[in-house]
Amino acid sequence: MVETNRNSEEKFILDGKSFKSRLLLGTARYPDLSTLNQALVASHTEIITVAMRRIDGQSKGIYDAIDRDRYTLLPNTSGCFTAREAVLTAQLAREALETSWIKLEVIGDEDTLYPNVVELLNAAEILISKGFTVFPYCTDDPVICLKLSQMGCAAIMPLAAPIGSGMGVCNPYNLKIIREMIDLPIIIDAGIGTPSDVVQLMEMGMDAVLINTAIAQAADPVKMAKAMYHASFAGRLGFQAGRIPRQRYASSSSPVEGVLR
């Protein structure tokens, strides 16, 4: 079982790099670039993801609009359905953005956007052999997550629910098993809908969350970005503090010694 550090002064360490924020943001589906930039600032994020396969569309404007000195870019292979596509997209990302970081997505179904784990494992193995730092978006299957960690991925990114669904944490039990089994950063990616989802995940000991749709498509994306930031901070602090154990019966919070009877 993994012993997770509860030191209140800890930083979020990813691939040997230190970050203050445990909230990663996607950059798609915002109403406009101005709203995107305001949301990025409000969220206190330091790492943002951009879809390489949309480089000729929205992503091109995003590259021009964001402050590359302020944010660490994590290009992703969103829209890829085979290992071959994902590897090619990652290679293009490394050449265009001069980074070996890649958020690896290999989709298996257009309706659920669930990962194709066979193609995902193949792509991860190839990319790691080519010197990439791989962050795989995967299912909440502990066995698949363990295989990816043993393969040499830099972090594991299991879903909380299908992409963009806002369903929240559908299977907390599997996520807890993954947390106990794997001594790597666990970044929950996909399905988050509300700040309370973020608090729940951080209280479970997850290292970070990646959010896109829940912020970008909110009625007020900037306010939601700020709320998600506070949720990530509060949830992590709550985890570090250590909750009291659950019990079936009441336990008096006041001492009974010396009470007049």
Side-chain angles (χ1 to χ4, degrees), residues 74-183:
L74 176 58
N76 68 57
T77 62
S78 173
C80 294
F81 286 83
T82 66
R84 181 179 179 183
E85 286 181 315
V87 170
L88 176 59
T89 302
Q91 291 172 324
L92 292 172
R94 181 157 65 179
E95 182 176 343
L97 302 179
E98 298 180 338
T99 178
S100 293
W101 279 23
I102 193 73
K103 180 182 173 234
L104 179 59
E105 299 182 31
V106 187
I107 300 302
D109 176 73
E110 292 188 6
D111 293 322
T112 64
L113 298 180
Y114 262 58
N116 181 329
V117 295
V118 175
E119 293 292 305
L120 178 70
L121 289 168
N122 289 339
E125 185 174 22
I126 294 169
L127 289 172
I128 290 169
S129 72
K130 292 181 179 294
F132 282 88
T133 302
V134 178
F135 303 88
Y137 161 66
C138 57
T139 61
D140 58 2
D141 181 340
V143 175
I144 295 299
C145 291
L146 186 60
K147 285 183 178 295
L148 287 165
S149 70
Q150 292 171 338
M151 191 179 291
C153 291
I156 307 299
M157 303 182 72
L159 53 80
I163 292 174
S165 68
M167 289 288 291
V169 185
C170 290
N171 196 340
Y173 308 104
N174 273 25
L175 294 179
K176 288 179 181 178
I177 292 171
I178 292 166
R179 173 69 286 171
E180 291 171 356
M181 289 175 62
I182 296 174
D183 191 12

Side-chain angles (χ1 to χ4, degrees), residues 46-63:
E46 297 169 275
I47 303 172
I48 62 175
T49 69
V50 184
M52 287 305 300
R53 287 176 68 87
R54 301 191 186 100
I55 187 66
D56 293 327
Q58 185 188 29
S59 292
K60 188 176 188 302
I62 291 170
Y63 287 130

Side-chain angles (χ1 to χ4, degrees), residues 211-257:
I211 305 175
N212 192 164
T213 306
I215 294 176
Q217 296 289 288
D220 189 329
V222 179
K223 281 187 177 179
M224 185 60 78
K226 188 174 182 179
M228 293 298 190
Y229 160 70
H230 286 293
S232 67
F233 183 81
R236 185 65 183 182
L237 200 61
F239 169 72
Q240 291 171 336
R243 63 155 293 142
I244 63 171
R246 290 183 173 91
Q247 56 188 22
R248 293 178 59 194
Y249 297 99
S251 176
S252 176
S253 58
S254 300
V256 296
E257 293 81 3

